[in-house]
Amino acid sequence: MSNSNNTNRKSQKPWEKFICWVNGDTVLEDGPRKPEEIPDGRKVTVHSEENTIEGTPLSHIRKFRKFYIAASIVICCAFIGLMLFTTSQMPPFGAVDVPTNNEVAEKYIIDGVKDTGAVNIVASMILDYRAFDTLGESTVLFTAVMSVIILLRKDKDHVNDEEDLRILEEHRILEERPNVVLKTVGFLLVPFIFLFGIYVVLNGHISPGGGFSGGAILGAGLILYANAFGFSKLRKFFNFKVFTAFTSGPLLVYAGLKTYSFYTGANHIESIIPTGTPGAILSGSLILPLNICVGMIVACTMFGFYSLFSKGEI
């Protein structure tokens, strides 16, 4: 058995060794351990020649640990040095002659409507002048909710934990015997919440609002609906497939639209998308569809977090 394991370890590629290390195969001390000394309940196979963790020899894992420590120190020091250098090159705080206090603000106020067609200066700044930054924020939301799904989503076919069973039973009882007051209030308010959220999203370029605030309202409406009528009814029109489409789809659309905008602007090419009449609903160039994309991402992120933390599924 020892010879076969040694043969497998020799045929293991460096990348496969690295993957084993990333999966949490930490180094144990030299020499065999007693079962009670094995950390985290990991499977440890003790051979006569050397210890292995799930088939990976300790000597290989030890090398990667040294590399990890050295790389962590180098990366942290480089990042700290870069931040200190950037800070030292910044102008004094509050100085009147820096671009952020004169040229940039003046550009937004004077040329905002002409350049973007949006009456709301904040919307023109976030979704036109600084749309690349907003794309990053939307990507952060998408990445966060996907990470929470990976960590917290439960498999219905393999629910063995007592806590999971208790939570499922509580939700089943609440759906069978819902709170009458909450159900009545939800029946009256949910349609208006959805309508107001859509209004805030669609009018974000001509009035206060936009994708972030409107998406938060829509997310609150979904949460209220789930509490008032139960998750089973909500899944009839908002299941995991719809959730996935409403998070990944708008993000791809946002990236595609702004890629076109960045390409034409960087190469001084005239965009074929008109800015429209300032103050009209169909104005603001790409700001309106971008607001819709951001609103869908924010709404799904809010409801996704609530559903995963409360029930472990969407």
Side-chain angles (χ1 to χ4, degrees):
M1 182 175 179
S2 177
N3 292 332
S4 62
N5 284 328
N6 289 333
T7 303
N8 293 333
R9 289 194 294 270
K10 290 179 180 178
S11 61
Q12 199 174 29
K13 298 179 181 179
W15 176 249
E16 295 175 345
K17 299 175 185 177
F18 179 75
I19 293 297
C20 293
W21 170 73
V22 171
N23 288 335
D25 297 336
T26 54
V27 181
L28 296 179
E29 301 292 338
D30 290 334
R33 286 193 176 191
K34 298 179 181 179
E36 62 270 13
E37 295 177 343
I38 298 174
D40 303 330
R42 279 188 289 264
K43 181 180 178 181
V44 179
T45 304
V46 180
H47 298 287
S48 57
E49 297 181 1
E50 62 176 332
N51 289 346
T52 63
I53 299 179
E54 297 181 355
T56 305
L58 296 181
S59 58
H60 294 163
I61 299 175
R62 191 175 295 110
K63 294 178 182 178
F64 284 116
R65 188 176 72 165
K66 293 179 180 179
F67 167 78
Y68 172 79
I69 295 174
S72 300
I73 295 174
V74 171
I75 293 174
C76 288
C77 291
F79 182 76
I80 292 172
L82 178 62
M83 292 295 100
L84 291 175
F85 174 77
T86 303
T87 304
S88 65
Q89 300 299 312
M90 293 179 64
F93 180 77
V96 297
D97 57 341
V98 296
T100 54
N101 288 337
N102 46 53
E103 298 177 13
V104 176
E106 184 179 350
K107 174 69 175 178
Y108 291 160
I109 295 173
I110 296 177
D111 298 332
V113 177
K114 180 183 68 175
D115 292 343
T116 66
V119 178
N120 186 354
I121 299 177
V122 176
S124 65
M125 178 184 66
I126 294 176
L127 293 173
D128 193 282
Y129 292 116
R130 295 181 56 192
F132 189 76
D133 178 71
T134 306
L135 174 61
E137 295 172 357
S138 301
T139 305
V140 168
L141 292 176
F142 175 81
T143 306
V145 73
M146 291 299 109
S147 301
V148 174
I149 289 174
I150 294 172
L151 295 173
L152 298 183
R153 192 182 182 200
K154 298 180 177 65
D155 188 354
K156 291 183 178 180
D157 299 330
H158 301 84
V159 179
N160 299 319
D161 188 74
E162 294 182 0
E163 183 68 17
D164 295 340
L165 294 174
R166 183 185 64 80
I167 293 174
L168 291 176
E169 182 66 17
E170 288 180 356
H171 282 280
R172 185 187 65 80
I173 294 174
L174 288 175
E175 291 185 0
E176 291 179 354
R177 291 177 287 179
N179 188 306
V180 178
V181 176
L182 181 60
K183 188 174 181 179
T184 304
V185 173
F187 178 79
L188 296 174
L189 290 183
V190 166
F192 294 99
I193 292 175
F194 286 149
L195 183 63
F196 181 63
I198 295 172
Y199 168 82
V200 172
V201 171
L202 296 181
N203 288 269
H205 58 299
I206 58 178
S207 65
F212 286 101
S213 52
I217 297 172
L218 293 173
L222 290 173
I223 294 172
L224 178 59
Y225 186 95
N227 281 278
F229 303 100
F231 283 89
S232 58
K233 289 188 177 181
L234 181 66
R235 289 196 197 94
K236 292 180 179 180
F237 65 91
F238 193 83
N239 51 30
F240 184 71
K241 291 183 179 179
V242 175
F243 170 83
T244 305
F246 277 24
T247 50
S248 58
L251 187 62
L252 293 175
V253 172
Y254 188 112
L257 292 177
K258 290 318 298 181
T259 298
Y260 168 79
S261 178
F262 297 152
Y263 177 80
T264 55
N267 293 278
H268 304 286
I269 301 175
E270 186 68 25
S271 177
I272 63 174
I273 301 175
T275 57
T277 303
I281 185 67
L282 296 178
S283 63
S285 186
L286 294 173
I287 294 180
L288 177 58
L290 294 180
N291 258 329
I292 296 174
C293 293
V294 173
M296 295 171 66
I297 295 172
V298 172
C300 292
T301 301
M302 278 190 59
F303 176 75
F305 282 152
Y306 171 79
S307 181
L308 290 167
F309 278 103
S310 62
K311 198 175 180 182
E313 60 180 351
I314 297 177

